[in-house]
Amino acid sequence: MAMKKGPTKGSGGKHRNALRGHGPTPKAEDRVYHKAYFAKKEADKRKAADPRLAARRRADKFAADATDLVFGRNSVLEALRVGVPSNTLYILSRLEHDDRTREIVKIASANGLHMLEADRLEMDRIARSGNHQGVILKVQPYQYSSLAELADRAEKKARAMEAANSAAARIKARPLFIALDGVTDPQNLGAVIRSAAAFGANGVILPERRSASVTAAAWKVSAGAAAHLPVARVVNLTKAIESLRERGYYTVGLDGGGDKLVGETGFEADPLVIVLGSEGKGLSRLVREACDAIAGIPISSSVESLNASVAAGISLYAVDRARREAAANS
């Protein structure tokens, strides 16, 4: 019987394996035997050798790795004068030097900083701005302590002073910390660190979220106090307060609606944590509930609140005065 010519019903299913493809055809530049492939490799070599593109890659790496950059002649000079930990100084090639840049180079050289020259394009990309005045300083990341380290160090110092003959020395050596709840301005943080160091506090406690960090701006405002006053970062400030309570600490929160005055809570001569809230919102609800007392600073009714760093200075002075009075009466 003669077979009918032409396609038969279901013929595609009979030869499915034969019809299976191998994917889309690669581009010419991706085929290692094609001339377009070799042309692309040559173009990539020319691109990698371009000095302007090489400078851009270096600038991108520098800016990506930097945790903090200080730029501008006055800012860089101030940072170097107060000893902000730094590792690299970028200087614009063919820079017209003045007294500030000469001092910058002198201090950087004395401190062993890595000094590099860069063109205008590279400097602009590092600073992400053209307003760098030809100098950029890369600051090292600040080394935070843990809360346990702060407490151990403070308690060791207090135990060592227990043998002192002076009651004032024993009471003054009792642990004292400042904790900040929602303070996001690094300059405020720097001023708080400076006040804490001035009144003999043992450290500053910061939450990891919604809080300022110890950047170059904070370091400069602290006038170098950040070099010797430890700062701890904690995941949860409320739990940090509770863990310190288990170690015998009391906590006083500062708030305008407090029922006691700062320095008159009765906890000043004990191991103490003073908690400051942000200027606008004050203490968060959970932190406020974790405090043993809420104290206020008497101010004029025409002023809504005090700056956090000002409030810290007043509170620390009040605690220092209360401790001196307690020593005199003991």
Side-chain angles (χ1 to χ4, degrees):
M1 180 178 176
M3 297 292 292
K4 183 180 179 180
K5 293 183 178 181
T8 59
K9 185 176 181 182
S11 60
K14 295 178 181 178
H15 308 290
R16 182 171 298 167
N17 291 337
L19 296 176
R20 184 173 296 165
H22 298 283
T25 302
K27 294 179 180 180
E29 60 187 21
D30 294 331
R31 303 180 216 166
V32 295
Y33 53 82
H34 200 283
K35 65 179 183 180
Y37 172 81
F38 297 102
K40 181 183 177 184
K41 289 192 68 174
E42 290 299 322
D44 290 342
K45 287 182 181 179
R46 290 193 298 272
K47 186 176 180 181
D50 187 335
R52 295 181 67 83
L53 293 175
R56 179 178 297 181
R57 288 193 297 273
R58 289 196 304 271
D60 288 342
K61 181 179 183 299
F62 184 90
D65 292 344
T67 57
D68 198 12
L69 297 176
V70 181
F71 49 87
R73 299 185 183 190
N74 287 333
S75 297
V76 170
L77 181 56
E78 290 174 10
L80 290 173
R81 280 175 174 172
V82 300
V84 175
S86 312
N87 51 28
T88 307
L89 176 67
Y90 260 47
I91 303 174
L92 180 66
S93 56
R94 296 184 297 277
L95 178 68
E96 292 185 8
H97 286 279
D98 58 12
D99 292 340
R100 292 172 298 174
T101 57
R102 280 189 283 271
E103 186 176 354
I104 286 170
V105 172
K106 181 179 178 180
I107 297 174
S109 178
N111 292 336
L113 298 189
H114 190 202
M115 291 186 285
L116 301 173
E117 282 195 352
D119 61 18
R120 173 69 63 176
L121 173 66
E122 194 167 357
M123 296 289 284
D124 290 351
R125 287 185 63 84
I126 291 171
R128 296 186 176 93
S129 167
N131 190 28
H132 47 70
Q133 298 179 318
V135 287
I136 302 173
L137 183 68
K138 181 180 179 181
V139 177
Q140 295 177 6
Y142 181 80
Q143 298 298 316
Y144 292 96
S145 301
S146 69
L147 183 64
E149 289 172 342
L150 255 67
D152 290 342
R153 196 177 309 166
E155 291 162 14
K156 182 179 180 181
K157 179 180 177 181
R159 286 194 299 269
M161 293 302 295
E162 285 298 323
N165 293 328
S166 171
R170 292 196 300 270
I171 294 175
K172 189 174 179 63
R174 288 171 186 168
L176 174 62
F177 295 116
I178 287 284
L180 303 183
D181 180 24
V183 176
T184 57
D185 184 356
Q187 294 190 348
N188 263 341
L189 171 59
V192 170
I193 293 173
R194 185 174 183 176
S195 296
F199 288 102
N202 299 100
V204 176
I205 303 169
L206 306 175
E208 289 184 356
R209 299 178 60 190
R210 294 184 295 275
S211 174
S213 302
V214 185
T215 61
W219 189 288
K220 284 189 296 181
V221 175
S222 78
H228 52 82
L229 186 76
V231 178
R233 298 185 77 180
V234 296
V235 176
N236 187 299
L237 186 56
T238 304
K239 290 184 178 179
I241 292 171
E242 292 172 352
S243 67
L244 288 174
R245 179 180 288 113
E246 293 174 359
R247 300 179 70 142
Y249 289 75
Y250 294 93
T251 304
V252 174
L254 293 189
D255 192 274
D259 55 355
K260 296 182 180 180
L261 294 179
V262 63
E264 300 178 5
T265 62
F267 299 118
E268 283 74 21
D270 298 305
L272 184 63
V273 181
I274 300 174
V275 187
L276 285 79
S278 62
E279 186 174 344
K281 297 180 180 179
L283 297 173
S284 61
R285 180 181 61 84
L286 292 177
V287 170
R288 185 186 178 96
E289 291 174 356
C291 293
D292 297 292
I294 301 296
I297 299 173
I299 58 176
S300 170
S301 59
S302 61
V303 178
E304 184 177 352
S305 63
L306 290 174
N307 177 276
S309 61
V310 174
I314 294 172
S315 304
L316 287 163
Y317 170 75
V319 171
D320 183 70
R321 184 183 62 185
R323 288 188 170 187
R324 284 188 276 110
E325 291 175 354
N329 296 328
S330 62

